[in-house]
Amino acid sequence: MNKYGDPMIKTENLSKSFSGLEVLKNINLTVETGEVVAILGPSGSGKSTLLRMFNGLEELSGGRIQVGGISVDANQSQRERNKQIGKIRLHTGMVFQQFNLYPHKTVLQNVVEALLIVKKIPREKAITLGEKLLKRVGLLEKKDQYPNRLSGGQQQRVAIARALAMEPDLMLFDEPTSALDPELVDEVLAVIKELAHTGMTMVIVTHEMEFAREVADRIIFMADGVVVEEGTSEEFFSRPKTERARKFLKMEEVIN
Amino acid sequence: MDIIWSNLPFLLKGAYYTLLITIVSMFFGSIIAVVVAIARLKGNRSIRWLARAYVSIIRGTPTLVQIIIVYYGLADYGLNLQPLTAAYIALSISIGAYLSETLRGAIQAIPKGQYEAAYASGMTPIQTMKRIILPQAIRIAIPPAGNTFIGMLKETSLVSVITVTELLRSAQLLIAQYYVYMPFYLAIAVMYWILSTGFSFILERIERRLSIYE
C-alpha cells in the first residue's frame, strides 16, 4: 500500500510564527498512506496554517516535515526548501475554501492547466483525462463554461477535479464547504466522500462535524496552536478525552 | 478647402507616421511596462529601486524634454539617431513608465488565492505569473491603458520638434509654403480626432472581447 515505506505525512516539532507570534507549537503527527484525517478545532487554532504547511504554502519556522518521503526542515537553506516543496507539490492536490478557480479559463482549461504546464503531457491526453475527471464530479456538460457561470458548489467540484488532475497521492482540503450556501454543501461533501472510498490519502480541515465523523478515519483536534487530542473518529466523537474537546463538541452541537 | 484636398496625400502621409509612431511606441512601451511592473513587485531591493527611479524620472519630467534629450542630447556623445528612431525610443520609454504603474496596480488587484492555487498545482513563480496572473491583470489594465494610448497618439505631435514629419509637422510644412494657417491646422485637428475615435473604438472592442468571463 505504502509506496514510500514511510507515513504519507510526518511532522517533528513543527512550529510556525507570524511576526513573533507563535501560531503552531511543536506539532508531532503522522498521517498514514490511505488514511483520511480530519483536523478540527475552533477558529484561530492554527489548523488551516498546519494544512497549508503540508504543501509549503506556509513556510515553517522550526522543526521538520516529511510528505511522501520528501522532507523539508528549518535547517535547510531557503533554496533547498523551495526545491523540496516543489517536489511535494507535484504529488499533492489542494482544495481551497474560496475555490480559487482561474476566472479567465474555462472549466476544462482550469482542470488541464497544470497537466499542460507542469507535467507537459500532450494536449489530447490532458483533455481526455480532464473530461474524465469532470464527468466524475458530474460537471462534464459545463466544461466550456467560465467559472463565474457556476454555482459555488459546482465551482468547488471543479476545483476538486483540478486537484485530482495531477494524480496526487495526497489531497488537502482547506475548509472546502465553508464558503458555500448551506444547500450547496452536500454536493461537495458527496464528491469528497466518494474520493475517500477510493483509498486516497486525505487531510481535511472542516467545521462540518457530521461529515468529519462519517468520512474521517482519525480526528486531530487542535486549539491554540497545539494538538490537544487525537484519536479515531468514533473515539473522538463519543468519548472525547479532554475537557477542551468536550467543550468544543458541545459548542458545535449548539451551532448546528 | 481646395488647398486641403490638393495636399491631402501629404497630410495623410503625416497621419501615417503619427499612427506608426503611436503603434510602435505602444508595442515597445507595453513590453517595458510588463518588465518594470514585475521588477517593482517581485524584484530584489536594487531592482525594485531601479524600476522606481525609472518611473519617477519619466513621470516627473516633460515628454518634450525626454524627446529632445534622446535626439539632441545623445548626439553630444556621438550617438546620432535618426529622428524616427529617436521618436520611437523616447516615446516607448515614456509610455512604458505610465503603463507600468497601471499594470502594477492591476497585478496587485489579483487575489492571493490565484497564486496559491497555481503554486499548489506545482507551477513555478514564472509560470504562475505568465499563465495565471498577467492574463488577468492585463484585462484589468486595459481600460486605463486605453486612455494612456489615446494620450500617446496626441503626444506624438511633440516629435515634430525633432523633424519627424508626422501630422503636425506636415501641416507646418504646408503652412510655410502657402502662408495660411487655419485650414491646415483645422484639417489635422480633424484627423487627430478621427484617429483617436478609431482607437477608442478598437480598444472598446478588445475590452469587450476580453471580458466575456465576467
Side-chain angles (χ1 to χ4, degrees), chain A residues 130-184:
Chain A
E131 287 179 344
K132 202 178 93 191
L133 287 166
L134 284 174
K135 195 168 168 192
R136 185 163 162 194
V137 299
L139 289 169
L140 185 57
E141 77 280 10
K142 301 279 186 196
K143 71 182 171 115
D144 295 321
Q145 298 270 0
Y146 283 91
N148 68 315
R149 299 265 172 238
L150 273 54
S151 72
Q154 289 171 332
Q155 289 191 45
Q156 194 61 300
R157 282 149 63 199
V158 173
I160 294 171
R162 177 175 71 175
L164 289 174
M166 294 294 280
E167 297 178 317
D169 300 316
L170 167 68
M171 283 285 281
L172 305 173
F173 293 87
D174 189 6
E175 304 199 24
T177 58
S178 296
L180 296 174
D181 291 335
E183 74 271 19
L184 301 176

Side-chain angles (χ1 to χ4, degrees), chain B residues 87-110:
Chain B
Y88 291 153
I89 293 173
L91 292 178
S92 299
I93 290 174
S94 172
I95 199 174
Y98 290 94
L99 282 181
S100 77
E101 285 296 279
T102 305
L103 192 59
R104 185 172 67 101
I107 291 173
Q108 282 176 319
I110 307 298

Side-chain angles (χ1 to χ4, degrees), chain A residues 34-36 164 167-171 195-202:
Chain A
E35 207 179 14
V36 177
L164 289 174
E167 297 178 317
D169 300 316
L170 167 68
M171 283 285 281
L195 193 59
H197 293 144
T198 65
M200 173 71 76
T201 311
M202 312 204 303

Side-chain angles (χ1 to χ4, degrees), chain B residues 21 64 67 71-72 83 87 91 155-172 192:
Chain B
I21 296 164
L64 183 56
I67 292 166
Y71 184 63
Y72 294 110
L91 292 178
E155 284 208 336
T156 56
S157 60
L158 295 172
V159 303
S160 60
V161 301
I162 58 167
T163 73
V164 175
T165 311
E166 42 63 73
L167 208 40
L168 178 59
R169 191 167 145 83
S170 18
Q172 286 166 341
Y192 274 120

Side-chain angles (χ1 to χ4, degrees), chain A residues 43-80:
Chain A
S43 340
S45 57
K47 54 193 191 304
S48 277
T49 306
L50 177 62
L51 186 83
R52 290 160 55 85
M53 286 174 88
F54 293 156
N55 69 345
L57 286 183
E58 299 288 353
E59 288 266 3
L60 47 74
S61 312
R64 181 166 176 273
I65 182 168
Q66 188 177 319
V67 179
I70 301 158
S71 64
V72 181
D73 72 60
N75 298 325
Q76 288 165 328
S77 67
Q78 181 75 48
R79 205 193 162 96
E80 183 73 14

Side-chain angles (χ1 to χ4, degrees), chain A residues 83-216:
Chain A
K83 214 175 105 192
Q84 296 294 83
I85 287 166
K87 284 191 219 159
I88 289 173
R89 286 172 178 167
L90 290 181
H91 64 88
T92 306
M94 187 164 201
V95 174
F96 299 87
Q97 183 175 353
Q98 300 293 343
F99 334 132
N100 297 347
L101 292 181
Y102 309 132
H104 62 303
K105 294 189 178 290
T106 65
V107 163
L108 183 61
Q109 285 168 345
N110 262 277
V111 176
V112 300
E113 179 70 12
L115 289 175
L116 299 173
I117 303 304
V118 179
K119 277 199 174 167
K120 298 186 164 59
I121 74 169
R123 186 159 214 102
E124 310 83 70
K125 230 178 115 188
I127 287 173
T128 310
L129 179 61
E131 287 179 344
K132 202 178 93 191
L133 287 166
L134 284 174
K135 195 168 168 192
R136 185 163 162 194
V137 299
L139 289 169
L140 185 57
E141 77 280 10
K142 301 279 186 196
K143 71 182 171 115
D144 295 321
Q145 298 270 0
Y146 283 91
N148 68 315
R149 299 265 172 238
L150 273 54
S151 72
Q154 289 171 332
Q155 289 191 45
Q156 194 61 300
R157 282 149 63 199
V158 173
I160 294 171
R162 177 175 71 175
L164 289 174
M166 294 294 280
E167 297 178 317
D169 300 316
L170 167 68
M171 283 285 281
L172 305 173
F173 293 87
D174 189 6
E175 304 199 24
T177 58
S178 296
L180 296 174
D181 291 335
E183 74 271 19
L184 301 176
V185 168
D186 285 346
E187 59 182 87
V188 172
L189 295 185
V191 171
I192 300 175
K193 272 182 218 164
E194 190 259 342
L195 193 59
H197 293 144
T198 65
M200 173 71 76
T201 311
M202 312 204 303
V203 182
I204 308 167
V205 170
T206 184
H207 286 289
E208 298 282 336
M209 292 302 133
E210 268 311 302
F211 167 68
R213 181 173 199 158
E214 196 183 328
V215 77

